[in-house]
Amino acid sequence: MPEPANTKQPPSAAHRVLKALKWILDTALYYWMIIGIGIAVLLAYLFPNVGRSEGVIRSQYSIDYGAVAFIFLVSGISTSTQTIIKMAAHWRSHLLVQVISFLITPTIIFAFAEAMRAAHNPRIDPYILVGLIITGCTPTTVSSNIVMTRQSNGNDSLALIEVTVGNVLGAFITPALVQMYLSVGTGFSYGNPALGSSVASLYGHVMKHLSLAVFLPLAVGQALRGIWPKQVQYLYTTFKLNKFGSFCLLLLIWTTFSTAFHQNAFEVVPTASIIMTVFFNIGVYLVFCIICFYMARSPLSKHALRQLPFLQAEYERAKARGEKARKPVKYYIYKLIGPFFFTRRDTIAVILCGAAKTVVLGVPLINAQYGERSDLIGRVSIPLVLYQGEQLVVSQFLIPIFKRWVAKEDLDNELFGIDDNNLSSGLPGEDDLSSQQSDKKDSVEIQETKVPVQTII
């Protein structure tokens, strides 16, 4: 019998064009933030006078205050007061993030800057190295961490607290760190023209910015949430206010680069210095992310968290036998370091907060160091300005990875019945572990059966 004819027609040219356009549109929507950053930088280059500080729109007020205030207003509306109080008491994460921000990251960047200075490469501008050091000393960003943590399905409430703590501390710690790293004995004293009195106004500027752009809108958001909860929830969900936070980040990038282009910052240094700074920032940001990850998910803390139930069970068995039992020293050591193993949601907040650096504190510090009319401001600001944009670009590639990682933990916790709070909020004490039993024998049996449940993913 003759074979039936193939009635399937090849796709027409119009169909192929539509399919290609759909793929381009889907790709653009998926990477819209990265494309938006590129457009913001392009607009800043073409029209620097519009978005620069003291420019047409007075961005030092309209964006530096307005856009940041909107982000924190939305955070205040969307976060319960109980959650904020709970995250404020999360002292382990505060300690970890601030140690990373003010001890580890500036030390690493200073070591790299010293190595590059010792190389005596004439194509590397010496004030670029000063700018790298100042970048390393600044605290975490004021607004982008919250938005990116929320996009990653991380603990954005914890990021909110870390941002606040870091910038309050940074107003006092950052100038001191800069003075230390640019002192006479470091080899970078040429970049330290400031006396102690020249940075005195920095504290007032930073505290004013935090009060008006962070604390006040956060308090207003909490008040609105408490007075009109249903109306606020309706506005938040209907108008998708959380999406506007990403747009505010683009505005911040736009005004930062507008100011840099207006000052001809990228034209007064060798091209090799710009290229080096771009790749150095990307590399060091990824290094900081890895350090944050391993400090928040330390194998030592994980081991301690796994061993604690066994040590507790041994103690209970000894008591049940009538022995004079004492908990070993390592039990208390494990109990101290074990809760430093954070959940994946908390870990994402630690990574994005610990690796980020802010221009909100860095640029005023540079202006205070050199005077607002100094030609050195543009050269010193380049590493910080580039870092601000690059950390957003790199994080956009990390966000899908973080989302899949968090989704896996949610699935595992549902399967094993694990409570996230037991990982980073502390373990139950001995009274909690034994209060569910009616006698010592039952206590030992239940403790032994609970050990496998304390699985750490």
Side-chain angles (χ1 to χ4, degrees), residues 73-84 157 217-234 236:
L73 176 65
V74 172
S75 296
I77 289 174
S78 60
T79 308
S80 67
T81 305
Q82 293 81 0
T83 300
I84 292 178
S157 301
L218 183 63
V220 171
Q222 287 288 286
L224 293 175
R225 179 185 175 91
I227 298 174
W228 299 293
K230 293 183 179 179
Q231 294 86 339
V232 166
Q233 181 65 24
Y234 173 79
Y236 182 80

Side-chain angles (χ1 to χ4, degrees), residues 149-325:
T149 303
R150 186 181 298 124
Q151 291 176 344
S152 304
N153 292 338
N155 190 345
D156 57 316
S157 301
L158 181 61
L160 171 66
I161 301 300
E162 299 305 339
V163 164
T164 305
V165 173
N167 281 269
V168 170
L169 293 178
F172 302 94
I173 296 177
T174 296
L177 287 175
V178 171
Q179 292 296 310
M180 180 183 71
Y181 284 118
L182 301 184
S183 60
V184 176
T186 62
F188 292 98
S189 58
Y190 62 86
N192 185 12
L195 298 175
S197 58
S198 66
V199 296
S201 62
L202 174 68
Y203 298 109
H205 173 86
V206 173
M207 294 312 297
K208 175 184 176 183
H209 187 275
L210 290 176
S211 299
L212 296 179
V214 176
F215 300 140
L216 180 60
L218 183 63
V220 171
Q222 287 288 286
L224 293 175
R225 179 185 175 91
I227 298 174
W228 299 293
K230 293 183 179 179
Q231 294 86 339
V232 166
Q233 181 65 24
Y234 173 79
L235 290 174
Y236 182 80
T237 55
T238 302
F239 295 97
K240 300 185 183 301
L241 296 182
N242 59 322
K243 300 295 183 182
F244 283 92
S246 301
F247 179 72
C248 290
L249 291 185
L250 296 179
L251 293 179
L252 290 170
I253 291 293
W254 173 54
T255 184
T256 300
F257 276 86
S258 294
T259 302
F261 284 125
H262 180 266
Q263 295 174 344
N264 296 321
F266 298 100
E267 299 177 7
V268 297
V269 297
T271 304
S273 294
I274 301 293
I275 296 174
M276 181 277 297
T277 304
V278 169
F279 285 99
F280 176 83
N281 284 346
I282 294 175
V284 81
Y285 179 78
L286 292 174
V287 169
F288 292 162
C289 288
I290 293 172
I291 291 174
C292 292
F293 174 81
Y294 277 102
M295 292 187 70
R297 306 278 290 187
S298 168
L300 181 60
S301 297
K302 182 177 181 179
H303 174 74
L305 205 58
R306 280 177 164 172
Q307 292 301 313
L308 272 171
F310 292 96
L311 295 175
Q312 178 68 26
E314 291 178 2
Y315 171 74
E316 294 293 343
R317 283 196 295 268
K319 287 178 61 177
R321 292 192 297 266
E323 300 176 0
K324 188 178 180 180

Side-chain angles (χ1 to χ4, degrees), residues 380-402:
V380 177
S381 300
I382 286 175
L384 184 59
V385 171
L386 289 175
Y387 196 96
Q388 171 81 2
E390 289 176 277
Q391 66 188 3
L392 287 176
V393 173
V394 175
S395 65
Q396 291 304 306
F397 290 99
L398 296 178
I399 284 173
I401 300 174
F402 288 154

Side-chain angles (χ1 to χ4, degrees), residues 117-145:
R117 185 188 68 85
H120 301 292
N121 190 333
R123 294 178 296 177
I124 302 301
D125 190 292
Y127 283 94
I128 288 288
L129 302 181
V130 174
L132 288 175
I133 294 173
I134 294 177
T135 300
C137 295
T138 58
T140 188
T141 55
V142 173
S143 53
S144 61
N145 291 336

